[in-house]
Every structure is written in structure tokens, then in C-alpha cells.
């Protein structure tokens, strides 16, 4: 044992281990942490003798889960789109707003005019809201610059956030998010002269962990996305895709053909897409915040995903337009209420499966040799995390074994 070995006792552990039922719940549990990683977890009565002489920290019967993982966010951006919220309330659809010059493109001007320091400062309150609910890993996308320099600046800001807070940041390059105004009607030219060069430059600077895109009628076709993914493959970068949100262009099937980490939104996903995802091991990421904000009615095909044993993850999709949501706990409640996910599926969706959607194998469960990223809750049962609305029962957030301020 080393001097920094920590023993947490008197807790109820929802381990979220693969294949476990009922959350993998261990009552009267203990967790040993050494060098920032979990070295042992199990019933407290079975704590190995080698740990008996070490100091213990009692958690007084509280529930402990893996630290939460928000696997799909756009928290780095400039400005907001409150006026579009009003437009939609007056009857305009998401597509109508986008085609009128709003939507993603309307955020571009504010983001292009923001410095890296501006981006970090505006993102920190959104990040802090997520951390206050037990989040230890956040994925952050580019995609509101749509020119080379601003895309790079967004990714630099995302990396900088990890130095401002005790959080693990995973970045996704989303240059294929929308066609900017200066390339209206010239999507192919935009891919050639902006998106792919920006991807190469971002990769050269070490700013990219994965490559994303938006495959939709208001964005890019499958063939255009494929060109970006081909470049990602040459750079040895994994891919993921916003797809089947408003229609079915076969994006999920395309993503799966590239071995994508995830296909996200997927309200209009068909059986062929589900089967392709199952074969490729691609995670389905559902985003009830956007579904709610856009007042959609087509729910993701949860039963088909379950039948084909496609892992289902869950995220906030925090963004200025279609999901201005900074609560992963509320996302869990929405997924249960709107999509009829179970509380256990929701918790797996923001821990084990969310980590998998980011290609991370060292977090999302409470198991030996995983990072000691934990969330400690003042609740009696894991279902309470999905049950309550607008209530945060977090007691403590632990990152690599170190308790963090809320």
C-alpha cells in the first residue's frame, strides 16, 4: 500500500458493471483507492486484511455511483438563441428557423467574434452546472466556427476548460455541422476548403479526440460525411455522427460502416440502422433535451435498440439552440418520462454506456483498475436520481480519488 491509499466505507455502491442487474448494487460496501484508481470494491465485511490498518472515510450510508459522463455537449460557443426560442413558440419548426438563417448558422457570428478567453469564460458557468451534478467527464464539440481559425479556437478553449476545473474533457471536431453563409449552396466546396483542412490542422495540434458530423437535410449528405470520415480514418481518429434527428438519410448505417463510437439523436432510426449499429458495436446516444425543446413527437426506437442489444447512452446535448440544458439529472428524468427508459437504463446511459460512446474504458463503472471518479449522493436508491425534477442530491464529487468542491 502507498501513503495515498484511501478507503471509503459505509456506502451503497451502484457499480454499473457490464452484465450486472439492478445497478450491480452492493450494500454496506467499501471502496479502496490507490494512486487515483480503484484498487478494490466489495462488501465492507470482505475488505482485504491489507487495508485494515489504513485510515477510513465513512460515507454514512450514502449511495456512490461512477462519476457521471456527459457524452454529447456543445458548451463552447458565443451568444445565445433566445429569440429563436420565441420563434418556435410561435409555430416555426427547427428546419424553418434554420432555412430562414437561424439555427446553427446564427451562432456562428457570435462565436467567430469571441476570443479563446471569451469562450472559456462563457462556457465555465455551463460546465460548473454539470460538475455540480456529479459529472466527471464532459465531451465538448467544435462546430460553431465553420472556418479554420474559429474551429481551432473552439477546440483550444475546450482543452483549456480542463485546466480551469477538475474535469476530464474529451473533444470532438464538428466542422461538418452546417454550411456557413459564405458557402451557401456550396457544401462540397466547404468540405474541401474549410472542413477537411481544419480537421487536419486541429489534429496536428493535438486538439481532436474524435470526429463528428451532422447528416441531415439541413446539413450534410451521407456522401459528404463519408468524405470527412475518410480523412478521419487516415488520421486514426474515431468517428461519431448526429443523425436521423429530423429524417432518415441512413446516417447511422453509414456511421456504423466506419465503426463509429456512437450515432446520436436517432429519432428516425430504422431497423437497418439498428442492425448495423449492433454489428459494429456503435452506441446509441439519445438526447431528450433536444426532443423536448423542439417539441418533437417521433421517439427513438428504444425497443429495437434493446432487442438488438445496442448500448444506449444519454446526454444533455447542451447547446444554444435546440437544447439549452445543463442538467444531466434532468436529462435522466426526461429520458424516463419521454422515452420510457428505466431508471437503471438512464443511470447506465450517463455512466457505463456514455463512457463507451466516447471510447473510454477506464471510467463509467466502479471496478478495480478504473479511475476513481465517483459521485456520492444523499439518496437511498439509484432510482431517485431519475425520479426527482429540479432537485440535486449530490453530496460530493470525487475525481481520481480526490474529493472536489461542488
Amino acid at each position: 500500500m502507498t501513503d495515498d491509499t484511501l478507503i471509503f466505507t459505509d456506502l451503497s455502491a451502484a457499480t454499473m458493471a457490464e452484465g450486472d442487474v439492478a445497478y450491480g448494487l452492493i450494500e454496506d460496501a467499501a471502496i479502496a483507492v490507490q494512486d487515483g484508481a480503484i484498487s478494490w470494491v466489495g462488501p465492507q465485511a470482505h475488505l482485504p486484511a491489507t487495508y485494515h490498518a489504513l485510515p477510513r472515510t465513512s460515507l454514512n450510508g450514502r449511495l456512490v455511483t461512477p462519476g457521471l459522463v456527459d457524452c454529447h455537449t456543445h458548451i463552447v460557443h458565443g451568444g445565445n438563441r433566445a429569440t429563436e426560442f420565441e420563434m418556435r413558440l410561435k409555430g416555426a419548426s427547427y428546419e424553418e428557423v434554420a432555412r430562414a438563417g437561424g439555427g446553427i448558422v446564427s451562432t456562428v457570428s457570435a462565436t467567430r467574434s469571441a476570443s479563446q478567453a471569451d469562450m472559456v469564460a462563457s462556457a465555465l458557468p455551463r460546465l460548473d452546472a454539470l460538475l455540480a451534478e456529479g459529472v466527471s467527464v464532459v465531451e465538448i464539440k467544435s462546430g460553431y466556427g465553420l472556418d479554420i481559425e474559429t474551429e481551432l479556437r473552439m477546440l483550444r478553449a475546450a482543452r483549456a476548460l480542463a485546466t480551469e476545473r477538475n474535469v476530464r474533457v474529451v473533444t470532438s471536431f464538428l466542422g461538418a455541422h452546417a454550411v456557413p453563409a459564405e458557402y451557401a449552396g456550396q457544401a462540397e466546396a466547404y468540405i474541401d476548403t474549410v472542413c477537411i483542412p481544419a480537421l487536419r490542422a486541429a489534429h496536428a495540434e493535438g486538439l481532436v479526440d474524435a470526429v463528428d458530423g451532422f447528416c441531415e437535410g439541413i446539413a450534410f449528405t451521407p456522401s459528404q460525411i463519408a468524405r470527412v470520415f475518410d480523412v478521419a480514418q487516415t488520421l486514426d481518429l474515431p468517428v461519431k455522427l448526429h443523425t436521423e434527428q429530423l429524417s432518415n438519410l441512413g446516417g447511422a448505417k453509414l456511421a456504423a460502416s466506419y465503426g463509429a463510437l456512437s450515432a446520436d439523436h436517432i429519432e428516425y432510426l430504422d431497423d437497418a440502422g439498428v442492425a448495423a449499429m449492433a454489428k459494429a458495436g456503435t452506441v446509441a446516444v439519445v438526447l431528450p433535451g433536444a426532443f423536448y425543446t423542439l417539441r418533437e413527437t417521433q421517439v427513438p426506437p428504444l425497443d429495437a435498440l434493446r432487442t438488438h442489444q445496442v448500448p444506449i447512452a444519454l446526454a444533455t446535448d447542451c447547446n444554444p439552440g435546440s437544447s439549452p440544458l445543463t442538467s444531466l439529472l434532468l436529462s435522466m428524468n426526461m429520458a424516463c418520462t419521454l422515452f420510457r427508459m428505466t431508471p437503471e437504463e438512464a443511470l447506465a446511459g450517463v455512466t457505463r454506456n456514455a463512457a463507451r460512446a466516447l471510447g473510454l474504458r477506464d471510467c463509467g463503472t466502479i471496478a478495480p483498475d478504473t479511475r476513481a471518479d465517483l459521485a456520492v449522493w444523499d439518496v437511498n436508491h439509484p432510482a431517485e436520481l431519475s425520479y426527482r425534477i429540479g432537485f440535486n442530491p449530490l453530496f460530493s464529487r470525487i475525481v481520481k480519488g480526490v474529493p472536489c468542491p461542488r
Side-chain angles (χ1 to χ4, degrees), residues 38-402:
I38 294 169
S39 57
W40 186 88
V41 60
Q44 189 167 312
H46 298 164
L47 187 69
T50 51
Y51 295 110
H52 286 183
L54 297 174
R56 304 183 183 190
T57 299
S58 174
L59 295 180
N60 298 311
R62 293 183 173 90
L63 173 73
V64 177
T65 69
L68 305 189
V69 177
D70 197 348
C71 65
H72 183 131
T73 86
H74 305 253
I75 64 171
V76 170
H77 60 78
N80 68 74
R81 300 202 323 241
T83 55
E84 292 178 22
F85 175 67
E86 289 187 312
M87 287 175 64
R88 289 197 302 271
L89 290 175
K90 293 176 181 178
S93 71
Y94 184 65
E95 288 195 66
E96 288 168 341
V97 169
R99 294 191 186 282
I104 293 165
V105 175
S106 72
T107 300
V108 171
S109 178
T111 303
R112 287 179 176 178
S113 66
S115 68
Q116 179 177 318
D118 292 336
M119 292 180 186
V120 170
S122 66
L124 276 172
R126 295 185 280 272
L127 178 61
D128 286 340
L130 296 173
L131 303 189
E133 291 189 348
V135 170
S136 60
V137 181
V138 178
E139 185 259 14
I140 302 175
K141 304 178 191 295
S142 68
Y144 291 122
L146 307 184
D147 62 27
I148 295 173
E149 181 49 43
T150 313
E151 288 294 301
L152 295 177
R153 193 159 66 247
M154 290 186 71
L155 292 168
R156 293 183 195 121
R159 290 283 196 234
L161 286 169
T163 68
E164 296 285 337
R165 297 291 186 269
N166 195 352
V167 63
R168 187 178 187 179
V169 170
V170 177
T171 61
S172 294
F173 173 81
L174 183 55
H177 196 195
V179 180
E182 63 269 26
Y183 281 89
Q186 303 176 72
E188 295 286 346
Y190 169 76
I191 293 291
D192 285 333
T193 60
V194 177
C195 184
I196 289 174
L199 170 56
R200 293 189 185 279
H203 175 261
E205 199 173 320
L207 297 174
V208 186
D209 297 319
V211 175
D212 202 344
F214 188 16
C215 185
E216 192 56 74
I218 60 172
F220 296 94
T221 66
S223 63
Q224 290 162 349
I225 293 294
R227 294 178 58 214
V228 179
F229 283 3
D230 286 342
V231 175
Q233 281 192 331
T234 68
L235 299 175
D236 198 28
L237 290 170
V239 301
K240 56 180 58 188
L241 189 62
H242 293 58
T243 189
E244 270 79 271
Q245 180 184 9
L246 306 172
S247 63
N248 183 4
L249 299 184
K253 190 174 180 180
L254 170 74
S257 74
Y258 283 85
L261 293 173
S262 70
D264 302 29
H265 287 291
I266 62 167
E267 282 90 337
Y268 287 84
L269 180 64
D270 60 16
D271 288 343
V274 173
M277 291 173 63
K279 183 177 180 180
T282 299
V283 176
V285 179
V286 297
L287 303 168
F291 179 91
Y292 168 84
T293 301
L294 299 178
R295 302 172 71 182
E296 295 291 343
T297 57
Q298 176 87 15
V299 300
L302 270 294
D303 286 341
L305 294 169
R306 293 176 183 124
T307 297
H308 286 267
Q309 298 183 319
V310 175
I312 303 169
L314 169 64
T316 61
D317 189 20
C318 178
N319 73 70
S322 62
S323 186
L325 172 63
T326 54
S327 171
L328 202 50
L329 292 176
L330 181 53
S331 299
M332 293 168 67
N333 176 272
M334 285 180 168
C336 294
T337 303
L338 300 176
F339 297 163
R340 295 296 187 263
M341 290 178 68
T342 68
E344 184 176 2
E345 286 176 327
L347 186 54
V350 297
T351 54
R352 181 181 71 231
N353 292 340
R356 184 170 174 176
L358 297 179
L360 302 177
R361 300 291 181 173
D362 63 347
C363 63
T365 63
I366 301 176
D369 300 321
T370 62
R371 285 169 53 112
D373 292 346
L374 306 168
V376 184
W377 307 94
D378 275 320
V379 301
N380 294 315
H381 191 274
E384 291 184 54
L385 301 179
S386 295
Y387 155 68
R388 298 190 186 279
I389 303 173
F391 177 73
N392 182 4
L394 186 74
F395 173 77
S396 176
R397 192 173 69 97
I398 298 171
V399 177
K400 297 189 75 173
V402 179

